[in-house]
Amino acid sequence: MEMIIEQLLFSASITGPICLMLALGVLLKRTQIINENFIDVASKLVFNVTLPALLFLSIISSNHDLASSAPLIVYGLAANLLFFILSTYATRRLFPKHKDQGVIIQGGFRANTAIIGLAYVSNAYGSSGVALAAVYVASMTLLYNIQAVICLSPKGEESSQRAFGVIIKTITKNPLIIAIMVGMLFYLLAIPVPKMVLDAGQYFANMTLPLALLCTGGSLDIGSLKHEKHSTWFSTSLKLIFAPLFITIGALLLGYRGIELALVFLMSSAPTAAASYVMARAMGGNAPLAANIIALTTVCSLVTCTLGIFILSALRLI
C-alpha cells in the first residue's frame, strides 16, 4: 500500500503542477485579470522568444550525449508516422463522408510536445530531460507540420503545390526549429556563449512554461464541446489512448527504459497542440472543431497521463 501511494505521489508530482497552472489560467481569465489580448501577445512572446531561448539553452548546457539519442529520435519519427497512417485509415473508415476528416486526423496525432510535453519532462527529469526532449521536439515539429498539411489539404494538383509551399514556410520560419538547430550547432562545435548572454537568456527561459500554461488555461473553452461530439471524442481517443499505447509499447518492445521510455510516453500522451487550430484555420478546415479537440484533450490528458505514469512507475519501467 505504501508503495502504491508513493507511485501515485510521483505521478501527481509530474502532472499536478501543470493541472494547477492550467486551472489558474482559467481562473485569471474568468476574473478578467488576463484577457484575450494578453493571451494573444503572451502566446506570441512564448512561441517566438522565450521557448526558443529555453530550448537553445537546454541544448548548449546539456551534459547528455545528444548524438547517442539518434536511435530514439528515429524511432519517434517512425512510430509517429506509422500512427498517422493508421489514424488516417481509421478516420476515413469510421467517418467516410465527414467533411472534416483532416481536422479529426490532425487532432489525433499532433501532440503539444513544446509546451505540455516539455512541462511533463521538466517536472520529471529537470534540465537534463529538457535537453533530450528539445531534440525530440524539433523532430516531431517537423513531422507534425508536414503531416498536418497533408491531411488538411484538399485533393488536386493546385492544392498539392500550395501544400508544398505551406510545408516549406512552416518549417523554415518556425522559431523552435531554428533555435534547436542553432543550439545543436553551438553544442557540436563547442562554441562559447558569454555568461552575460546566458544569464539574460535564462530570464526568458524561466518565463516559458508558467506563461505558456497560463495562456493555455486561459484559452480553454469547455462550453464549446457541445458541438461535434462524436468526432471530438474520437479524435481525443486517438490522441490520449491509442497514440500513447501504440508508441510506448513499441518503445518497450525495442528495449527502451528509464528516461527515454518516459520521454516517449510523456510526449505521446500530451494533448493536441494549439497549433492545430491555427493550421486548420489557415488551411480552410473546421477551426471550431479543432478548438474543441484541443480543449477536451487538454483536460482529459491530466487524467490519462497520470494513470500512464503510475502504471509505468509501478512496473519499474521508468
Side-chain angles (χ1 to χ4, degrees):
M1 186 63 182
E2 185 178 341
M3 184 177 295
I4 294 176
I5 294 174
E6 183 179 334
Q7 289 158 354
L8 280 172
L9 289 175
F10 172 70
S11 305
S13 70
I14 297 174
T15 58
I18 286 91
C19 180
L20 291 176
M21 290 300 295
L22 292 173
L24 183 58
V26 173
L27 178 63
L28 293 177
K29 175 72 180 303
R30 291 196 174 184
T31 55
Q32 298 183 342
I33 294 176
I34 63 175
N35 55 24
E36 290 293 341
N37 183 59
F38 173 87
I39 292 171
D40 182 53
V41 173
S43 297
K44 289 179 180 177
L45 177 66
V46 167
F47 184 72
N48 292 296
V49 182
T50 68
L51 184 53
L54 172 64
L55 297 174
F56 174 80
L57 292 175
S58 297
I59 290 173
I60 66 171
S61 61
S62 174
N63 294 320
H64 182 81
D65 182 9
L66 298 177
S68 66
S69 304
L72 178 66
I73 305 304
V74 171
Y75 168 73
L77 290 170
N80 278 275
L81 178 59
L82 184 55
F83 182 75
F84 168 69
I85 295 170
L86 293 174
S87 59
T88 299
Y89 175 78
T91 302
R92 290 180 176 172
R93 286 296 300 268
L94 294 174
F95 298 88
K97 297 181 180 179
H98 203 294
K99 65 183 187 301
D100 300 314
Q101 285 182 347
V103 176
I104 298 171
I105 295 166
Q106 182 186 215
F109 75 78
R110 189 166 191 162
N112 192 340
T113 56
I115 301 298
I116 306 295
L118 205 61
Y120 287 152
V121 174
S122 178
N123 285 348
Y125 296 101
S127 58
S128 61
V130 172
L132 176 60
V135 185
Y136 194 91
V137 167
S139 306
M140 293 307 109
T141 301
L142 284 168
L143 182 64
Y144 290 159
N145 277 294
I146 294 171
Q147 290 177 167
V149 174
I150 291 171
C151 70
L152 291 170
S153 295
K155 296 180 180 178
E157 184 178 348
E158 184 179 342
S159 63
S160 298
Q161 293 175 352
R162 179 187 168 213
F164 181 75
V166 172
I167 290 172
I168 298 300
K169 182 179 178 181
T170 55
I171 290 174
T172 56
K173 294 188 176 182
N174 190 302
L176 307 185
I177 295 174
I178 294 171
I180 292 169
M181 295 305 175
V182 174
M184 287 297 294
L185 182 65
F186 272 64
Y187 175 83
L188 294 173
L189 299 180
I191 299 174
V193 179
K195 186 177 184 302
M196 181 175 63
V197 175
L198 289 175
D199 291 342
Q202 196 63 51
Y203 291 146
F204 278 114
N206 292 342
M207 292 168 56
T208 302
L209 295 179
L211 191 57
L213 292 172
L214 284 178
C215 291
T216 302
S219 301
L220 290 179
D221 183 10
I222 305 302
S224 66
L225 296 177
K226 59 186 176 183
H227 305 294
E228 303 278 6
K229 289 182 180 178
H230 295 297
S231 52
T232 301
W233 277 104
F234 174 74
S235 187
T236 298
S237 298
L238 283 176
K239 182 74 226 51
L240 300 183
I241 299 174
F242 295 104
L245 276 175
F246 177 81
I247 296 172
T248 306
I249 289 175
L252 271 170
L253 293 175
L254 289 176
Y256 287 108
R257 299 291 187 273
I259 186 173
E260 292 183 328
L261 180 64
L263 173 68
V264 168
F265 170 73
L266 292 172
M267 289 293 176
S268 62
S269 63
T272 303
S276 64
Y277 172 84
V278 178
M279 185 65 83
R281 191 168 179 173
M283 299 291 292
N286 188 339
L289 173 59
N292 291 346
I293 295 168
I294 293 166
L296 187 59
T297 55
T298 300
V299 173
C300 294
S301 70
L302 297 170
V303 177
T304 56
C305 188
T306 302
L307 180 61
I309 295 168
F310 173 74
I311 293 172
L312 290 174
S313 61
L315 295 174
R316 300 191 179 283
L317 296 172
I318 60 174

